[in-house]
Amino acid sequence: GESVGLHLPTLSVQEGDNSIINCAYSNSASDYFIWYKQESGKGPQFIIDIRSNMDKRQGQRVTVLLNKTVKHLSLQIAATQPGDSAVYFCAEIYSGSARQLTFGSGTQLTVLP
Amino acid sequence: GAGVSQSPSNKVTEKGKDVELRCDPISGHTALYWYRQSLGQGLEFLIYFQGNSAPDKSGLPSDRFSAERTGGSVSTLTIQRTQQEDSAVYLCASSLGSGGNQPQHFGDGTRLSIL
C-alpha cells in the first residue's frame, strides 16, 4: 500500500505463491491507472493499465482490480517468480485535464526461494 | 533501440555547475515527460511536451530548471547553478498522442549527484 516518508512498504512471498500489491489512490476524478515495475538502476516498466469504466483487467500472470468506491487499486501476480522482485508503483491520471501521472510511493516485492 | 534513451546514465558534478540531461523518446511518440525520483520515493512530475504546443512547466521546482524539445523529438533538461538537493534520478518518458489514457514508457534515467 501507500506510505509516507522514506520507508517503502514491503511484501515478501515464496516463489510460486501469488502476490497481491495494494494501492490507495488520491483523486476520485482519476480515470486511468497504470502499474509499473521498477528494478534497481532501471526506469519504471509498464505492466498493465486499466480505465475507470472497468473493474478488472487481466494480463499475462497479472491482474489489476479497481474499486472506485474506496479509491483502491490492486495488482495480483500469479505464481510469483524471482524475476518479479522489484518496487511496484501505481500511477493515476485524470485524462480530462492532466497529462502527468501521479505516482504512489511504491511497494518493495521480494520473492523468497 | 526501440525504447526511451537517456544520457548520460550517471552524472557527478560540483555544486554551482550547470548540467544538461538528454532524452531520446520512442520514435513516433509525440508526448514527452520529465520526472524526478529521489531515493526511495515515487516520481515527481517536472515538465510535459506535446507536439508543437507550449510545454506544461508546472512541475519545475525553480527557475534554475528548464527544458527544451527540438524538432518534436529529442529533449534536453538543463539545471543551472546546481544545488545538493538537486541530487536525484531524472527520468524521461514518452507516450503516443496527447490523451491522458496512453501509457507512458520510461527510460532508465540519469542519476545526478551534486557534490
Side-chain angles (χ1 to χ4, degrees), chain B residues 9-100:
Chain B
S9 55
N10 288 281
K11 177 72 175 179
V12 180
T13 193
E14 294 180 344
K15 176 182 172 182
K17 300 287 189 183
D18 297 351
V19 295
E20 285 190 353
L21 313 179
R22 177 186 168 104
C23 173
D24 282 273
I26 294 172
S27 178
H29 281 195
T30 59
L32 186 148
Y33 312 77
W34 285 98
Y35 292 85
R36 178 169 70 174
Q37 185 175 31
S38 299
L39 185 64
Q41 299 291 306
L43 279 70
E44 172 192 5
F45 167 74
L46 298 177
I47 188 169
Y48 158 75
F49 295 89
Q50 170 56 44
N52 296 320
S53 302
D56 176 354
K57 305 179 181 180
S58 61
L60 294 178
S62 78
D63 59 8
R64 297 186 294 104
F65 288 72
S66 62
E68 292 183 339
R69 188 179 186 192
T70 55
S73 181
V74 171
S75 178
T76 302
L77 177 69
T78 301
I79 309 173
Q80 295 177 308
R81 304 180 304 280
T82 52
Q83 304 294 314
Q84 288 186 331
E85 61 262 28
D86 299 334
S87 295
V89 177
Y90 289 81
L91 290 158
C92 176
S94 69
S95 65
L96 280 170
S98 61

Side-chain angles (χ1 to χ4, degrees), chain A residues 32-88:
Chain A
Y32 180 57
F33 305 87
I34 306 176
W35 278 101
Y36 286 95
K37 171 188 179 183
Q38 188 174 27
E39 297 174 282
S40 181
K42 301 282 190 180
Q45 175 188 355
F46 171 84
I47 301 174
I48 192 168
D49 58 1
I50 189 168
R51 292 176 173 76
S52 59
N53 61 351
M54 304 172 68
D55 53 19
K56 179 179 180 179
R57 190 171 187 215
Q58 289 186 294
Q60 186 176 12
R61 278 202 310 121
V62 294
T63 301
V64 55
L65 299 177
L66 174 63
N67 185 331
K68 295 181 290 293
T69 302
V70 295
K71 296 191 291 185
H72 184 268
L73 200 64
S74 68
L75 177 70
Q76 300 178 359
I77 305 174
T80 313
Q81 302 169 0
D84 295 327
S85 293
V87 176
Y88 289 80

